[in-house]
Amino acid sequence: MATPPTTDAPLIRAHVFLYPLGVWVLMAVVAVLNGAFRETFLVPNLGEYAGHVISTALLVTAILVISALYFATTATEYTRIELLLVGVLWTVLTVRFEFLVGYAEGTPVSVTLGQYDVLAGQVWIAVPLTLLFAPLLFGSWLAN
């Protein structure tokens, strides 16, 4: 459970980010598998837009489940600022990974940025927002 630190404890303890980093690696693997599922099954059968929306919803669900399981079972007690920083860490790593993969594939930055255009019907923004807020939600609510 998120508890306020004692007067002797630092506000941010570096070692509490190690396990969430491993959790992010698991979520990254799930995201890659989700992307493969989207491209090999969803898009060919449902179309580009429906595949995008369903894939995003599946990934958001997976992130929520993985986050809930981690924070429900961890013995680490996180402060609220640490939970917020875990969310920032997960979000930054994900966005950087996405742009790195796009660069490696030769995708123009404008195309990658276009995935965040909510006004154009893109729903991908739900993924980084979920990554940002899931630790705070579940770390405060489900932790021991």
Side-chain angles (χ1 to χ4, degrees):
M1 178 190 269
T3 57
T6 63
T7 54
D8 297 336
L11 289 175
I12 302 169
R13 302 161 298 160
H15 71 277
V16 301
F17 298 99
L18 185 59
Y19 286 123
L21 187 58
V23 172
W24 178 82
V25 170
L26 172 63
M27 288 189 281
V29 169
V30 169
V32 168
L33 293 172
N34 179 60
F37 177 68
R38 178 187 64 241
E39 295 304 316
T40 60
F41 180 77
L42 293 176
V43 170
N45 290 302
L46 303 174
E48 186 69 37
Y49 185 72
H52 165 70
V53 171
I54 292 169
S55 175
T56 301
L58 289 171
L59 186 54
V60 164
T61 302
I63 291 166
L64 291 172
V65 168
I66 291 168
S67 298
L69 288 172
Y70 172 70
F71 286 106
T73 59
T74 185
T76 304
E77 291 189 21
Y78 291 88
T79 64
R80 290 184 65 74
I81 190 71
E82 289 168 343
L83 291 169
L84 181 60
L85 289 174
V86 168
V88 169
L89 174 68
W90 286 355
T91 303
V92 167
L93 288 172
T94 299
V95 172
R96 288 185 68 130
F97 180 75
E98 181 182 4
F99 277 86
L100 179 65
V101 168
Y103 175 79
E105 293 176 342
T107 304
V109 172
S110 60
V111 172
T112 304
L113 284 173
Q115 296 175 355
Y116 293 89
D117 188 356
V118 177
L119 298 177
Q122 298 297 316
V123 295
W124 175 254
I125 193 68
V127 171
L129 288 174
T130 302
L131 288 163
L132 181 62
F133 293 112
L136 194 56
L137 171 68
F138 293 121
S140 297
W141 183 44
L142 293 177
N144 301 330

